[in-house]
Amino acid sequence: MSGLLIRPRIRPRVAVVLVYTAAMCMNGLDSTIVNPALYTIAGDFGRPLSAANTVETAFLVALAVGLPVAGWLGDRFGTKRVFLGALTAFTIASAVCGLAPDLNTLVVARAVQGLAGGLLTPVGMTLLFRAFPPHERMKLAKVLIVPTALMPALGPPLGGLLTEHLSWHWLFFVNVPIGTAAVLLGVFGLREHVEGPEGKFDTVGFWLATPALGLLTYALGFGPSQGWTRPAVAVSAALGSVLLVAAVLHQVRAKTPLLKLRLLADRVYGSASALAGVTAAGLMGVLFVFPLLYQASLGASALDAGLSVFPEAVGLMLASQVVDRLLPKLGPRLLTVPALLVAAAVFATLAIPGVAENAWSVRGLMFLIGLVLGTAVLTVQISGFESIGPADMGQAMGLFQIVRTLGGALGIAACAAVIGGGHVTEAAADPGPYRTAVWVTAALVAAGALIALRLPREAPQPPPFDDEEALPPGEGLAADEAPAVKG
């Protein structure tokens, strides 16, 4: 009897949370875990460090390249299919990275990892936000914070530990069992949603936006360390900027654009996206420059400097509890504006002479940065999509991630420009430029408070019925039991 066929029964919303968390933890770790191992990788393959740096270059550029098309792919082929396909590719590429016999193989596999990672984040958040209606998303703070805060912070120490006690190959092997389990869980537990994009694929938009983001990411990531006048960096920056302007002009005029820039005209979503870019610039900037200031002020080692910012991740974890409890009571605007102002004050305190010389002051301030800025970032991420309907969710997520990614890269580049390229040895006797760069990050976060005034006063409210079964598809527990297909 066919009815005797046993199939695992997994609640779809539980499956979404578990699979999303596993995938994003892998993606978050891989953004930072390789850095401590680059010297070892270069030595094992008999190549210079500059060649080994292409391992990270390939990942970051490919990550940016995957973002523009993520929303369209999810709408066209289904969020479950695209997400699990990207997760499978990421897992296989991780295994190939670990088994790589030479640097070229490692770089190519790392690029595949980055491309898959560029799809995972927006498509995964689309799955998550479609499974939970706006008034229930506040409880997602505990889910969102783990991959976005803890995993990237754990990457460097975990990477150093695995490289020293096992080998750098295990930086990638650890993904294989986690990814395999997540894919299997997703196959049985996730529900498909095919939105069906309107019109044909925007080929022109694709060939403008995709290389633009890749070139700009390359230039912003490596201009500070390699020099802005280096031909590869200068050409990438100039060409990427031209393509980006052309892409924006095309997207605005196209009937069926690859990226729906019109979504930014929405007051709440547009403000949330701008805040995502500004706060990412401030946070990534301070996490980049402060370890350099710490070394310049104390003569600390690179490991000590890296560990000095780790309390920020602990504060971010606690921020998820704060948002869960205070957002329903205070609303997005009243919670975000004061948090950003306090965060800006804490950033500025780090730049005061004498503060960086006290290790415990640094740890306490970094914890506060995670707590208050994390509260603002999570509030924006949760409430910013309140006015976005299911049909536009995939596009909105992709655009949001693009703005945040470019914001973080711009923040690092701005700080590097202030300190003159980030050469610690040249300015070790004078921490002044580093303090100035920290002031820049404080100004960025303070500017975000002005944008936050456009956020809504009230937190999302539940729909006016008590019976979950009465909710329309996509808005409640009952909707999880059947796939949603449109178009």
Side-chain angles (χ1 to χ4, degrees), residues 211-272:
L213 289 176
L215 290 168
L216 286 174
T217 300
Y218 175 87
L220 291 172
F222 300 97
S225 60
Q226 299 180 5
W228 294 103
T229 57
R230 184 181 179 186
V233 174
V235 171
S236 296
L239 185 57
S241 299
V242 171
L243 289 175
L244 182 63
V245 172
V248 170
L249 293 176
H250 170 76
Q251 302 297 322
V252 171
R253 298 171 182 174
K255 291 183 178 180
T256 56
L258 180 68
L259 298 170
K260 293 183 179 179
L261 298 183
R262 62 174 178 79
L263 294 173
L264 294 173
D266 180 87
R267 179 185 177 94
V268 176
Y269 173 75
S271 301

Tab-separated table of all heavy atoms in Angstrom, residues 211-272:
chain	number	residue	atom	x	y	z
A	211	PRO	N	28.423	42.643	-13.028
A	211	PRO	CA	29.849	43.034	-13.009
A	211	PRO	C	30.100	44.307	-12.216
A	211	PRO	O	31.190	44.477	-11.652
A	211	PRO	CB	30.185	43.226	-14.497
A	211	PRO	CG	28.880	43.432	-15.170
A	211	PRO	CD	27.879	42.658	-14.391
A	212	ALA	N	29.111	45.209	-12.158
A	212	ALA	CA	29.293	46.437	-11.377
A	212	ALA	C	29.565	46.109	-9.919
A	212	ALA	O	30.512	46.636	-9.311
A	212	ALA	CB	28.062	47.329	-11.499
A	213	LEU	N	28.753	45.232	-9.333
A	213	LEU	CA	28.932	44.882	-7.927
A	213	LEU	C	30.219	44.100	-7.710
A	213	LEU	O	30.923	44.300	-6.715
A	213	LEU	CB	27.736	44.077	-7.427
A	213	LEU	CG	26.434	44.866	-7.277
A	213	LEU	CD1	25.302	43.939	-6.873
A	213	LEU	CD2	26.591	45.970	-6.249
A	214	GLY	N	30.556	43.218	-8.632
A	214	GLY	CA	31.789	42.459	-8.500
A	214	GLY	C	33.022	43.349	-8.562
A	214	GLY	O	33.935	43.231	-7.743
A	215	LEU	N	33.046	44.274	-9.521
A	215	LEU	CA	34.189	45.173	-9.668
A	215	LEU	C	34.315	46.130	-8.486
A	215	LEU	O	35.422	46.377	-7.990
A	215	LEU	CB	34.057	45.966	-10.971
A	215	LEU	CG	34.241	45.151	-12.267
A	215	LEU	CD1	33.796	45.967	-13.477
A	215	LEU	CD2	35.693	44.713	-12.422
A	216	LEU	N	33.187	46.669	-8.030
A	216	LEU	CA	33.226	47.594	-6.895
A	216	LEU	C	33.657	46.880	-5.617
A	216	LEU	O	34.398	47.440	-4.800
A	216	LEU	CB	31.863	48.252	-6.702
A	216	LEU	CG	31.499	49.329	-7.735
A	216	LEU	CD1	30.072	49.804	-7.518
A	216	LEU	CD2	32.461	50.509	-7.644
A	217	THR	N	33.194	45.659	-5.427
A	217	THR	CA	33.595	44.897	-4.252
A	217	THR	C	35.099	44.636	-4.274
A	217	THR	O	35.787	44.748	-3.248
A	217	THR	CB	32.840	43.563	-4.190
A	217	THR	OG1	31.432	43.827	-4.120
A	217	THR	CG2	33.246	42.757	-2.964
A	218	TYR	N	35.610	44.301	-5.434
A	218	TYR	CA	37.053	44.086	-5.559
A	218	TYR	C	37.824	45.363	-5.228
A	218	TYR	O	38.794	45.348	-4.448
A	218	TYR	CB	37.401	43.623	-6.972
A	218	TYR	CG	38.885	43.484	-7.206
A	218	TYR	CD1	39.537	42.300	-6.894
A	218	TYR	CD2	39.640	44.535	-7.715
A	218	TYR	CE1	40.912	42.161	-7.087
A	218	TYR	CE2	41.006	44.417	-7.912
A	218	TYR	CZ	41.635	43.223	-7.599
A	218	TYR	OH	42.982	43.099	-7.776
A	219	ALA	N	37.392	46.474	-5.802
A	219	ALA	CA	38.106	47.732	-5.596
A	219	ALA	C	38.028	48.192	-4.144
A	219	ALA	O	39.042	48.593	-3.551
A	219	ALA	CB	37.526	48.809	-6.515
A	220	LEU	N	36.848	48.132	-3.555
A	220	LEU	CA	36.685	48.577	-2.171
A	220	LEU	C	37.406	47.651	-1.197
A	220	LEU	O	37.898	48.085	-0.152
A	220	LEU	CB	35.203	48.655	-1.812
A	220	LEU	CG	34.409	49.766	-2.502
A	220	LEU	CD1	32.917	49.606	-2.213
A	220	LEU	CD2	34.880	51.141	-2.043
A	221	GLY	N	37.455	46.374	-1.521
A	221	GLY	CA	38.099	45.424	-0.628
A	221	GLY	C	39.613	45.471	-0.667
A	221	GLY	O	40.268	45.257	0.356
A	222	PHE	N	40.179	45.782	-1.819
A	222	PHE	CA	41.634	45.659	-1.958
A	222	PHE	C	42.321	46.974	-2.291
A	222	PHE	O	43.545	47.037	-2.275
A	222	PHE	CB	41.953	44.589	-3.001
A	222	PHE	CG	41.409	43.249	-2.612
A	222	PHE	CD1	40.193	42.803	-3.108
A	222	PHE	CD2	42.067	42.457	-1.699
A	222	PHE	CE1	39.669	41.586	-2.718
A	222	PHE	CE2	41.549	41.239	-1.299
A	222	PHE	CZ	40.349	40.798	-1.808
A	223	GLY	N	41.551	48.020	-2.551
A	223	GLY	CA	42.153	49.334	-2.745
A	223	GLY	C	42.928	49.819	-1.537
A	223	GLY	O	44.066	50.306	-1.667
A	224	PRO	N	42.356	49.697	-0.311
A	224	PRO	CA	43.078	50.185	0.869
A	224	PRO	C	44.424	49.500	1.102
A	224	PRO	O	45.392	50.155	1.505
A	224	PRO	CB	42.103	49.883	2.017
A	224	PRO	CG	40.760	49.878	1.374
A	224	PRO	CD	40.979	49.295	0.014
A	225	SER	N	44.511	48.211	0.863
A	225	SER	CA	45.748	47.490	1.157
A	225	SER	C	46.723	47.483	-0.012
A	225	SER	O	47.940	47.483	0.183
A	225	SER	CB	45.433	46.040	1.558
A	225	SER	OG	44.747	45.373	0.510
A	226	GLN	N	46.200	47.491	-1.245
A	226	GLN	CA	47.071	47.392	-2.412
A	226	GLN	C	47.323	48.736	-3.076
A	226	GLN	O	48.196	48.840	-3.933
A	226	GLN	CB	46.453	46.415	-3.431
A	226	GLN	CG	46.297	45.011	-2.880
A	226	GLN	CD	45.692	44.064	-3.896
A	226	GLN	OE1	45.465	44.434	-5.045
A	226	GLN	NE2	45.408	42.842	-3.482
A	227	GLY	N	46.569	49.758	-2.682
A	227	GLY	CA	46.749	51.081	-3.273
A	227	GLY	C	45.689	51.369	-4.316
A	227	GLY	O	45.441	50.543	-5.200
A	228	TRP	N	45.071	52.554	-4.206
A	228	TRP	CA	43.989	52.904	-5.131
A	228	TRP	C	44.496	53.170	-6.543
A	228	TRP	O	43.710	53.115	-7.502
A	228	TRP	CB	43.247	54.135	-4.611
A	228	TRP	CG	42.520	53.872	-3.333
A	228	TRP	CD1	42.906	54.242	-2.071
A	228	TRP	CD2	41.286	53.168	-3.170
A	228	TRP	NE1	41.985	53.804	-1.144
A	228	TRP	CE2	40.989	53.154	-1.788
A	228	TRP	CE3	40.414	52.548	-4.054
A	228	TRP	CZ2	39.851	52.545	-1.271
A	228	TRP	CZ3	39.275	51.932	-3.552
A	228	TRP	CH2	39.004	51.933	-2.178
A	229	THR	N	45.784	53.458	-6.683
A	229	THR	CA	46.319	53.751	-8.009
A	229	THR	C	46.819	52.508	-8.737
A	229	THR	O	47.214	52.601	-9.907
A	229	THR	CB	47.484	54.760	-7.901
A	229	THR	OG1	48.495	54.232	-7.037
A	229	THR	CG2	46.984	56.091	-7.344
A	230	ARG	N	46.809	51.384	-8.066
A	230	ARG	CA	47.197	50.148	-8.749
A	230	ARG	C	46.231	49.916	-9.909
A	230	ARG	O	45.009	50.036	-9.750
A	230	ARG	CB	47.152	48.973	-7.783
A	230	ARG	CG	47.633	47.673	-8.409
A	230	ARG	CD	47.556	46.514	-7.442
A	230	ARG	NE	47.990	45.282	-8.049
A	230	ARG	CZ	47.920	44.092	-7.471
A	230	ARG	NH1	47.427	43.999	-6.244
A	230	ARG	NH2	48.339	43.015	-8.077
A	231	PRO	N	46.749	49.576	-11.102
A	231	PRO	CA	45.879	49.483	-12.280
A	231	PRO	C	44.638	48.621	-12.088
A	231	PRO	O	43.536	49.032	-12.464
A	231	PRO	CB	46.819	48.883	-13.343
A	231	PRO	CG	48.180	49.357	-12.946
A	231	PRO	CD	48.173	49.376	-11.445
A	232	ALA	N	44.796	47.439	-11.512
A	232	ALA	CA	43.643	46.561	-11.350
A	232	ALA	C	42.577	47.188	-10.469
A	232	ALA	O	41.377	47.095	-10.750
A	232	ALA	CB	44.087	45.223	-10.761
A	233	VAL	N	43.007	47.855	-9.398
A	233	VAL	CA	42.061	48.489	-8.475
A	233	VAL	C	41.421	49.712	-9.118
A	233	VAL	O	40.204	49.911	-9.064
A	233	VAL	CB	42.766	48.868	-7.160
A	233	VAL	CG1	41.821	49.659	-6.258
A	233	VAL	CG2	43.264	47.615	-6.443
A	234	ALA	N	42.246	50.560	-9.741
A	234	ALA	CA	41.731	51.794	-10.344
A	234	ALA	C	40.742	51.498	-11.464
A	234	ALA	O	39.672	52.118	-11.550
A	234	ALA	CB	42.899	52.634	-10.861
A	235	VAL	N	41.089	50.555	-12.333
A	235	VAL	CA	40.193	50.209	-13.435
A	235	VAL	C	38.899	49.596	-12.908
A	235	VAL	O	37.802	49.901	-13.389
A	235	VAL	CB	40.899	49.236	-14.411
A	235	VAL	CG1	39.905	48.695	-15.435
A	235	VAL	CG2	42.048	49.938	-15.109
A	236	SER	N	39.011	48.730	-11.900
A	236	SER	CA	37.815	48.112	-11.320
A	236	SER	C	36.895	49.160	-10.706
A	236	SER	O	35.671	49.110	-10.876
A	236	SER	CB	38.211	47.087	-10.250
A	236	SER	OG	38.925	46.014	-10.810
A	237	ALA	N	37.475	50.115	-9.982
A	237	ALA	CA	36.669	51.167	-9.356
A	237	ALA	C	35.975	52.035	-10.399
A	237	ALA	O	34.781	52.329	-10.288
A	237	ALA	CB	37.544	52.026	-8.449
A	238	ALA	N	36.728	52.440	-11.429
A	238	ALA	CA	36.149	53.318	-12.453
A	238	ALA	C	35.082	52.590	-13.268
A	238	ALA	O	33.967	53.103	-13.456
A	238	ALA	CB	37.259	53.838	-13.372
A	239	LEU	N	35.410	51.407	-13.753
A	239	LEU	CA	34.463	50.657	-14.576
A	239	LEU	C	33.247	50.233	-13.766
A	239	LEU	O	32.106	50.300	-14.243
A	239	LEU	CB	35.163	49.442	-15.182
A	239	LEU	CG	34.337	48.599	-16.166
A	239	LEU	CD1	33.833	49.448	-17.319
A	239	LEU	CD2	35.166	47.418	-16.682
A	240	GLY	N	33.486	49.800	-12.521
A	240	GLY	CA	32.362	49.404	-11.664
A	240	GLY	C	31.419	50.556	-11.395
A	240	GLY	O	30.189	50.391	-11.390
A	241	SER	N	31.963	51.755	-11.189
A	241	SER	CA	31.120	52.934	-10.932
A	241	SER	C	30.278	53.280	-12.155
A	241	SER	O	29.087	53.581	-12.042
A	241	SER	CB	31.996	54.128	-10.542
A	241	SER	OG	32.722	53.857	-9.360
A	242	VAL	N	30.904	53.242	-13.342
A	242	VAL	CA	30.168	53.544	-14.574
A	242	VAL	C	29.044	52.527	-14.790
A	242	VAL	O	27.903	52.892	-15.111
A	242	VAL	CB	31.134	53.555	-15.783
A	242	VAL	CG1	30.348	53.649	-17.094
A	242	VAL	CG2	32.108	54.710	-15.669
A	243	LEU	N	29.359	51.251	-14.613
A	243	LEU	CA	28.346	50.213	-14.793
A	243	LEU	C	27.230	50.338	-13.766
A	243	LEU	O	26.064	50.083	-14.077
A	243	LEU	CB	28.998	48.827	-14.698
A	243	LEU	CG	29.906	48.413	-15.871
A	243	LEU	CD1	30.570	47.077	-15.571
A	243	LEU	CD2	29.098	48.325	-17.154
A	244	LEU	N	27.569	50.729	-12.536
A	244	LEU	CA	26.547	50.871	-11.506
A	244	LEU	C	25.575	51.998	-11.864
A	244	LEU	O	24.357	51.841	-11.723
A	244	LEU	CB	27.196	51.151	-10.155
A	244	LEU	CG	26.230	51.268	-8.962
A	244	LEU	CD1	25.503	49.953	-8.749
A	244	LEU	CD2	26.979	51.667	-7.696
A	245	VAL	N	26.097	53.130	-12.324
A	245	VAL	CA	25.222	54.237	-12.737
A	245	VAL	C	24.334	53.797	-13.894
A	245	VAL	O	23.118	54.058	-13.905
A	245	VAL	CB	26.068	55.461	-13.137
A	245	VAL	CG1	25.189	56.542	-13.752
A	245	VAL	CG2	26.800	56.014	-11.921
A	246	ALA	N	24.945	53.111	-14.871
A	246	ALA	CA	24.160	52.627	-16.002
A	246	ALA	C	23.096	51.624	-15.555
A	246	ALA	O	21.960	51.629	-16.063
A	246	ALA	CB	25.086	51.992	-17.040
A	247	ALA	N	23.442	50.777	-14.595
A	247	ALA	CA	22.490	49.784	-14.094
A	247	ALA	C	21.309	50.453	-13.409
A	247	ALA	O	20.157	50.063	-13.609
A	247	ALA	CB	23.193	48.831	-13.125
A	248	VAL	N	21.585	51.481	-12.603
A	248	VAL	CA	20.508	52.188	-11.908
A	248	VAL	C	19.577	52.862	-12.910
A	248	VAL	O	18.343	52.764	-12.809
A	248	VAL	CB	21.093	53.226	-10.927
A	248	VAL	CG1	19.990	54.130	-10.379
A	248	VAL	CG2	21.810	52.518	-9.781
A	249	LEU	N	20.155	53.535	-13.898
A	249	LEU	CA	19.334	54.204	-14.914
A	249	LEU	C	18.474	53.188	-15.669
A	249	LEU	O	17.289	53.441	-15.954
A	249	LEU	CB	20.232	54.970	-15.885
A	249	LEU	CG	20.980	56.168	-15.297
A	249	LEU	CD1	21.917	56.773	-16.336
A	249	LEU	CD2	19.997	57.218	-14.788
A	250	HIS	N	19.060	52.051	-15.975
A	250	HIS	CA	18.293	51.026	-16.691
A	250	HIS	C	17.187	50.441	-15.824
A	250	HIS	O	16.049	50.272	-16.293
A	250	HIS	CB	19.229	49.904	-17.150
A	250	HIS	CG	18.501	48.704	-17.676
A	250	HIS	ND1	17.916	48.660	-18.919
A	250	HIS	CD2	18.236	47.500	-17.087
A	250	HIS	CE1	17.327	47.483	-19.089
A	250	HIS	NE2	17.517	46.766	-17.996
A	251	GLN	N	17.498	50.141	-14.556
A	251	GLN	CA	16.506	49.522	-13.673
A	251	GLN	C	15.306	50.444	-13.460
A	251	GLN	O	14.173	49.983	-13.336
A	251	GLN	CB	17.142	49.184	-12.319
A	251	GLN	CG	18.336	48.255	-12.353
A	251	GLN	CD	18.010	46.881	-12.872
A	251	GLN	OE1	16.952	46.336	-12.589
A	251	GLN	NE2	18.908	46.308	-13.652
A	252	VAL	N	15.558	51.742	-13.398
A	252	VAL	CA	14.471	52.692	-13.182
A	252	VAL	C	13.531	52.735	-14.385
A	252	VAL	O	12.309	52.886	-14.241
A	252	VAL	CB	15.041	54.097	-12.892
A	252	VAL	CG1	13.929	55.143	-12.892
A	252	VAL	CG2	15.759	54.100	-11.545
A	253	ARG	N	14.069	52.577	-15.578
A	253	ARG	CA	13.274	52.703	-16.798
A	253	ARG	C	12.680	51.393	-17.279
A	253	ARG	O	11.683	51.398	-18.017
A	253	ARG	CB	14.145	53.290	-17.909
A	253	ARG	CG	14.660	54.706	-17.605
A	253	ARG	CD	15.679	55.137	-18.639
A	253	ARG	NE	16.214	56.469	-18.351
A	253	ARG	CZ	17.200	57.034	-19.021
A	253	ARG	NH1	17.784	56.379	-20.025
A	253	ARG	NH2	17.627	58.244	-18.698
A	254	ALA	N	13.281	50.261	-16.901
A	254	ALA	CA	12.841	48.959	-17.418
A	254	ALA	C	11.458	48.586	-16.899
A	254	ALA	O	11.102	48.883	-15.761
A	254	ALA	CB	13.859	47.883	-17.048
A	255	LYS	N	10.674	47.920	-17.752
A	255	LYS	CA	9.337	47.475	-17.345
A	255	LYS	C	9.426	46.313	-16.349
A	255	LYS	O	8.637	46.238	-15.409
A	255	LYS	CB	8.535	47.049	-18.576
A	255	LYS	CG	8.161	48.205	-19.497
A	255	LYS	CD	7.298	47.713	-20.650
A	255	LYS	CE	6.882	48.876	-21.550
A	255	LYS	NZ	6.046	48.411	-22.689
A	256	THR	N	10.329	45.405	-16.581
A	256	THR	CA	10.521	44.263	-15.673
A	256	THR	C	11.994	44.202	-15.273
A	256	THR	O	12.757	43.390	-15.784
A	256	THR	CB	10.099	42.941	-16.343
A	256	THR	OG1	10.831	42.790	-17.574
A	256	THR	CG2	8.608	42.936	-16.622
A	257	PRO	N	12.423	45.067	-14.354
A	257	PRO	CA	13.847	45.152	-14.003
A	257	PRO	C	14.322	43.960	-13.187
A	257	PRO	O	13.531	43.297	-12.493
A	257	PRO	CB	13.914	46.436	-13.175
A	257	PRO	CG	12.563	46.552	-12.558
A	257	PRO	CD	11.605	46.012	-13.587
A	258	LEU	N	15.605	43.705	-13.271
A	258	LEU	CA	16.206	42.651	-12.451
A	258	LEU	C	16.096	43.001	-10.975
A	258	LEU	O	15.842	42.139	-10.132
A	258	LEU	CB	17.678	42.473	-12.849
A	258	LEU	CG	18.468	41.404	-12.096
A	258	LEU	CD1	17.953	40.016	-12.467
A	258	LEU	CD2	19.954	41.519	-12.424
A	259	LEU	N	16.295	44.276	-10.656
A	259	LEU	CA	16.180	44.780	-9.290
A	259	LEU	C	15.097	45.854	-9.257
A	259	LEU	O	15.191	46.848	-9.973
A	259	LEU	CB	17.510	45.374	-8.814
A	259	LEU	CG	18.696	44.417	-8.743
A	259	LEU	CD1	19.980	45.196	-8.503
A	259	LEU	CD2	18.481	43.396	-7.643
A	260	LYS	N	14.091	45.661	-8.437
A	260	LYS	CA	12.976	46.610	-8.363
A	260	LYS	C	13.364	47.789	-7.458
A	260	LYS	O	13.005	47.835	-6.275
A	260	LYS	CB	11.720	45.915	-7.834
A	260	LYS	CG	11.156	44.867	-8.788
A	260	LYS	CD	9.862	44.269	-8.243
A	260	LYS	CE	9.282	43.236	-9.189
A	260	LYS	NZ	8.030	42.633	-8.648
A	261	LEU	N	14.084	48.739	-8.048
A	261	LEU	CA	14.516	49.894	-7.274
A	261	LEU	C	13.348	50.740	-6.788
A	261	LEU	O	13.495	51.508	-5.834
A	261	LEU	CB	15.473	50.755	-8.107
A	261	LEU	CG	16.780	50.082	-8.553
A	261	LEU	CD1	17.648	51.077	-9.313
A	261	LEU	CD2	17.539	49.514	-7.370
A	262	ARG	N	12.184	50.593	-7.441
A	262	ARG	CA	11.009	51.345	-7.000
A	262	ARG	C	10.615	50.993	-5.566
A	262	ARG	O	9.944	51.777	-4.896
A	262	ARG	CB	9.826	51.081	-7.926
A	262	ARG	CG	9.377	49.623	-7.954
A	262	ARG	CD	8.114	49.422	-8.761
A	262	ARG	NE	7.734	48.013	-8.811
A	262	ARG	CZ	7.117	47.364	-7.838
A	262	ARG	NH1	6.819	48.012	-6.714
A	262	ARG	NH2	6.799	46.092	-7.966
A	263	LEU	N	11.031	49.844	-5.093
A	263	LEU	CA	10.717	49.459	-3.717
A	263	LEU	C	11.338	50.426	-2.718
A	263	LEU	O	10.817	50.612	-1.613
A	263	LEU	CB	11.211	48.040	-3.429
A	263	LEU	CG	10.522	46.901	-4.193
A	263	LEU	CD1	11.231	45.577	-3.926
A	263	LEU	CD2	9.057	46.794	-3.797
A	264	LEU	N	12.441	51.053	-3.108
A	264	LEU	CA	13.108	51.996	-2.207
A	264	LEU	C	12.276	53.254	-1.982
A	264	LEU	O	12.539	54.015	-1.044
A	264	LEU	CB	14.477	52.385	-2.773
A	264	LEU	CG	15.508	51.249	-2.850
A	264	LEU	CD1	16.756	51.713	-3.574
A	264	LEU	CD2	15.862	50.740	-1.458
A	265	ALA	N	11.265	53.481	-2.826
A	265	ALA	CA	10.385	54.634	-2.635
A	265	ALA	C	9.438	54.439	-1.461
A	265	ALA	O	8.877	55.410	-0.941
A	265	ALA	CB	9.586	54.905	-3.914
A	266	ASP	N	9.258	53.196	-1.032
A	266	ASP	CA	8.423	52.933	0.144
A	266	ASP	C	9.102	53.521	1.375
A	266	ASP	O	10.288	53.279	1.625
A	266	ASP	CB	8.240	51.422	0.313
A	266	ASP	CG	7.387	51.068	1.515
A	266	ASP	OD1	6.170	51.016	1.383
A	266	ASP	OD2	7.983	50.861	2.606
A	267	ARG	N	8.362	54.286	2.152
A	267	ARG	CA	8.948	55.028	3.275
A	267	ARG	C	9.660	54.111	4.261
A	267	ARG	O	10.799	54.369	4.655
A	267	ARG	CB	7.847	55.816	3.997
A	267	ARG	CG	8.343	56.603	5.208
A	267	ARG	CD	7.182	57.259	5.944
A	267	ARG	NE	7.627	57.952	7.141
A	267	ARG	CZ	7.938	59.244	7.189
A	267	ARG	NH1	7.837	59.982	6.092
A	267	ARG	NH2	8.342	59.799	8.320
A	268	VAL	N	8.996	53.032	4.663
A	268	VAL	CA	9.564	52.153	5.684
A	268	VAL	C	10.716	51.332	5.114
A	268	VAL	O	11.825	51.314	5.665
A	268	VAL	CB	8.475	51.237	6.278
A	268	VAL	CG1	9.104	50.261	7.274
A	268	VAL	CG2	7.399	52.061	6.956
A	269	TYR	N	10.474	50.660	3.994
A	269	TYR	CA	11.513	49.809	3.420
A	269	TYR	C	12.706	50.630	2.946
A	269	TYR	O	13.869	50.244	3.154
A	269	TYR	CB	10.948	48.986	2.255
A	269	TYR	CG	12.009	48.208	1.521
A	269	TYR	CD1	12.556	47.060	2.069
A	269	TYR	CD2	12.492	48.651	0.287
A	269	TYR	CE1	13.545	46.350	1.407
A	269	TYR	CE2	13.475	47.951	-0.388
A	269	TYR	CZ	14.005	46.801	0.185
A	269	TYR	OH	14.992	46.110	-0.476
A	270	GLY	N	12.443	51.777	2.300
A	270	GLY	CA	13.531	52.627	1.834
A	270	GLY	C	14.389	53.123	2.988
A	270	GLY	O	15.622	53.129	2.904
A	271	SER	N	13.740	53.530	4.083
A	271	SER	CA	14.484	53.988	5.252
A	271	SER	C	15.286	52.845	5.867
A	271	SER	O	16.442	53.025	6.274
A	271	SER	CB	13.520	54.567	6.295
A	271	SER	OG	12.795	55.652	5.759
A	272	ALA	N	14.676	51.665	5.940
A	272	ALA	CA	15.367	50.511	6.508
A	272	ALA	C	16.588	50.134	5.669
A	272	ALA	O	17.654	49.803	6.212
A	272	ALA	CB	14.412	49.323	6.609
